[in-house]
Amino acid sequence: MFSLHESDEKQIGLDEIISQCRCRSPQGNRLKNAKHFFAPAEKSELAEELDAVAAIADLILAKPDEAAEAQRILSQLRELRGTLHGLEQERLLDETEFFELKRAIAIFNRLALHPNLMNAAKVSMCALGDAERLLDPAGSGAQGFYIYSEYSQKLRKLREQKRELEHQISEASNELRLQLLKERNLLGAIEDEEEERVRRELGIQLLHFLPELQANSENCALLDFRIAKAELALKWQACKPSLAEAEEDALIKEAWHPLVQASLKKLGASFSPHSIRLERGATVISGANMGGKSIALQTVFLSLTLAQMGYFPPSKELRTPLYAFMTFSAEMAGDYDLGLSSFGKEAVKIREDFRRSKQKRGLIVMDEPCRGTNPSEATAIVQALCNAYAGMSSTLLIASHYKVNPGLGIRFYRIKGIKPENLQLIRADAGTADSHLIKQIQAMMDYHLEEVDGDHPVPSAAIKIAELLGIDPELIAAMKALWQEEKWQK
């Protein structure tokens, strides 16, 4: 079992994503917030989780009222860990805790009346009729709880005597009233002792149902969480991921990032979905600056992360092996407490990921590594990383604008970007607002990924864009001259 580093979760917006998965009970929310990742050894457990979510989604489409009723019931469930722990330790429970148990047992029994949903969710709910009757000895069906007179003949007589005394007190004179009050207080103390004895006896009797109570509580968490996952899958129209063998590739088709998609929708734009195959070794994504490489990396990593957590990822199709670890590296601020520069911190992560990759198959995603390092050294570092991972079982997915030479075990993708000839179609008349020109340029950007060979040219639209945005002609001329010289030298 493993978990993502907190910084990796922030990079892909994981907390915001899973907040869209709406559990109704504290048990379900606790399970969701645990963020369990299924390790390679838990492949069968993950397959069962995904099958359950798929079956519930089908049931929601066929019988939406049944799932909605179960969620309404689950929303009434309270946190039970403290009460069940007290019961297990044979602690004297108070009336509030007995009320919680009574309410929970009623919820368990009502959920047990939905076998189709239980079967779809792959959980079982044990009906506890005897326990329900134990906490409602009069059979009133009332939701509340108190120490009923039916629990003890002695308690019944004490309460009858108290009621009679209270009637006498209401009619007695001052002197007699004081005497009667003393008698009532004595009866009250005896009643408290008897109620405590009854509570202790009730706890002993309920202790026999503890395994079923604990199992039902855990199954409520699973039921709630799986229904919420199914709802989210339907909302996203997401695919059920398929699980590949350990040595196989990951394949993602038309994946999108829900947070980015929502932001773009507010701006009247649409998200360009990403498709990619990740083999063992290194995969390099290139593209112009601000061309969408970071979003592509986040989208791919998010989809694979969600699949390994038992969610349906936002994509049309996804097939993946289970990785022993997953890590996402992007530009990070320096850690001044440790006195490390940005690259120092980056180097530590490179070291740790590489060491782990020698032992286990991992997914290592790096967004523009060494961007603060001088270009010559950075190019050498990126090339060395790709060469090293090319012969390993792990998968390195790296976005970089530095040139990487092709080799066995290194694959290449690029953001399609803008075709240079299309930039000629943009009109930059005098007085045209910068914002309008930028929108025209963005409208021409193709953010889809395409596989290319290792000798594909570096995108070269930046100088033309600078020219369109009105940079002085002498600067543009100098840029073009130096660019041609650079290309000639290479």
Side-chain angles (χ1 to χ4, degrees):
M1 191 178 103
F2 71 90
S3 61
L4 289 186
H5 192 277
E6 185 179 351
S7 63
D8 298 353
E9 293 182 4
K10 287 181 179 178
Q11 290 286 351
I12 60 173
L14 185 62
D15 283 345
E16 292 90 338
I17 291 293
I18 65 174
S19 70
Q20 297 181 31
C21 181
R22 293 187 58 246
C23 294
R24 270 60 175 190
S25 68
Q27 288 81 358
N29 277 307
R30 186 171 67 251
L31 194 59
K32 178 186 76 172
N33 294 334
K35 299 177 187 174
H36 177 71
F37 286 80
F38 290 84
E42 297 175 298
K43 183 179 178 182
S44 60
E45 289 88 341
L46 176 55
E48 179 178 300
E49 180 79 11
L50 296 172
D51 287 345
V53 174
I56 294 171
D58 290 341
L59 185 64
I60 290 174
L61 292 174
K63 297 180 180 179
D65 292 344
E66 186 165 359
E69 172 63 12
Q71 288 177 313
R72 189 185 67 79
I73 295 170
L74 285 165
S75 68
Q76 300 170 24
L77 191 60
R78 296 187 179 187
E79 180 58 78
L80 296 173
R81 285 184 298 177
T83 299
L84 292 178
H85 180 72
L87 187 64
E88 185 175 28
Q89 297 299 312
E90 299 186 36
R91 172 174 57 77
L92 181 63
L93 304 185
D94 59 32
E95 289 190 32
T96 299
E97 291 172 309
F98 282 115
F99 166 74
E100 289 175 352
L101 288 173
K102 181 180 179 181
R103 189 179 183 85
I105 289 167
I107 288 170
F108 299 154
N109 291 347
R110 287 157 65 193
L111 288 173
L113 299 176
H114 295 273
N116 290 335
L117 182 59
M118 297 301 120
N119 290 335
K122 299 186 183 297
V123 299
S124 60
M125 199 63 57
C126 179
L128 296 170
D130 290 343
E132 190 170 38
R133 285 186 288 274
L134 183 62
L135 294 172
D136 186 13
S140 65
Q143 292 187 354
F145 176 83
Y146 76 105
I147 306 300
Y148 300 95
S149 298
E150 285 80 2
Y151 285 129
S152 163
Q153 186 64 28
K154 179 179 180 180
L155 192 58
R156 183 188 298 277
K157 288 182 179 180
L158 285 168
R159 288 175 175 172
E160 288 174 354
Q161 292 173 15
K162 271 185 66 178
R163 283 194 294 273
E164 178 60 29
L165 275 174
E166 286 167 355
H167 175 70
Q168 294 176 21
I169 289 168
S170 66
E171 297 180 349
S173 60
N174 288 344
E175 187 174 339
L176 179 57
R177 179 184 176 85
L178 290 173
Q179 179 61 34
L180 293 173
L181 284 170
K182 289 181 181 179
E183 292 181 26
R184 190 192 65 175
N185 290 340
L186 180 59
L187 283 177
I190 298 172
E191 180 187 26
D192 290 343
E193 290 178 1
E194 182 63 10
E195 286 183 354
E196 181 176 319
R197 187 197 66 78
V198 168
R199 284 191 288 125
R200 192 169 299 281
E201 180 63 27
L202 267 179
I204 292 171
Q205 292 177 280
L206 284 171
L207 190 58
H208 297 294
F209 300 100
L210 181 62
E212 291 85 358
L213 289 168
Q214 291 173 327
N216 281 353
S217 182
E218 292 172 4
N219 284 327
C220 278
L222 275 175
L223 174 64
D224 191 14
F225 191 22
R226 288 172 175 174
I227 292 176
K229 283 181 176 177
E231 281 189 320
L232 187 60
L234 292 172
K235 174 186 173 182
W236 285 344
Q237 296 184 325
C239 72
K240 176 188 175 184
S242 58
L243 305 181
E245 297 301 321
E247 68 279 0
E248 292 183 317
D249 307 334
L251 175 65
I252 302 171
K253 292 185 178 180
E254 296 189 43
W256 65 94
H257 195 300
L259 299 181
V260 179
Q261 183 186 59
S263 297
L264 289 172
K265 187 175 181 180
K266 291 178 182 178
L267 299 173
S270 58
F271 189 96
S272 300
H274 296 294
S275 300
I276 193 170
R277 179 185 295 277
L278 296 177
E279 300 180 355
R280 296 178 177 217
T283 298
V284 182
I285 296 178
S286 62
N289 286 337
M290 305 302 291
K293 299 190 297 296
S294 294
I295 297 301
L297 290 184
Q298 291 170 24
T299 301
V300 170
F301 191 79
L302 175 67
S303 292
L304 294 171
T305 294
L306 289 173
Q308 202 147 335
M309 293 174 71
Y311 290 84
F312 283 22
S315 59
K316 294 297 183 184
E317 181 183 342
L318 188 144
R319 178 174 175 80
T320 181
L322 297 189
Y323 298 100
F325 69 94
M326 301 169 74
T327 178
F328 190 105
S329 300
E331 185 177 38
M332 295 175 289
D335 190 332
Y336 300 108
D337 292 335
L338 295 176
L340 292 174
S341 67
S342 178
F343 179 71
K345 204 168 185 180
E346 192 174 15
V348 169
K349 199 162 188 182
I350 289 173
R351 180 194 70 197
E352 295 306 309
D353 292 341
F354 188 68
R355 287 177 178 175
R356 284 195 288 178
S357 292
K358 291 180 177 180
Q359 307 296 326
K360 304 173 182 178
R361 186 181 186 186
L363 174 66
I364 301 93
V365 177
M366 303 181 73
D367 185 8
E368 298 282 6
C370 311
R371 69 177 71 187
T373 310
N374 78 70
S376 297
E377 273 193 308
T379 300
I381 292 170
V382 170
Q383 183 72 59
L385 282 169
C386 291
N387 291 345
Y389 277 98
M392 302 180 79
S393 64
S394 288
T395 296
L396 171 68
L397 176 61
I398 185 170
S400 179
H401 59 270
Y402 299 122
K403 176 65 177 174
V404 175
N405 294 319
L408 188 64
I410 305 176
R411 295 167 64 91
F412 295 87
Y413 284 82
R414 72 176 174 188
I415 302 291
K416 289 184 177 180
I418 302 176
K419 293 181 179 178
E421 58 268 25
N422 288 346
L423 289 172
Q424 307 300 327
L425 303 175
I426 295 177
R427 295 183 59 82
D429 298 329
T432 303
D434 290 344
S435 59
H436 180 69
L437 285 171
I438 291 171
K439 283 183 179 179
Q440 288 187 67
I441 294 168
Q442 287 177 331
M444 290 187 171
M445 177 68 73
D446 187 342
Y447 294 100
H448 291 91
L449 288 169
E450 63 177 350
E451 188 170 5
V452 293
D453 61 42
D455 295 317
H456 67 282
V458 176
S460 56
I463 295 176
K464 181 60 179 177
I465 291 173
E467 185 176 9
L468 287 169
L469 290 172
I471 288 181
D472 292 1
E474 60 268 28
L475 276 176
I476 294 295
M479 292 175 188
K480 288 180 177 179
L482 289 169
W483 173 240
Q484 290 300 322
E485 182 181 341
E486 176 76 11
K487 289 197 293 182
W488 180 83
Q489 288 178 351
K490 289 182 177 179

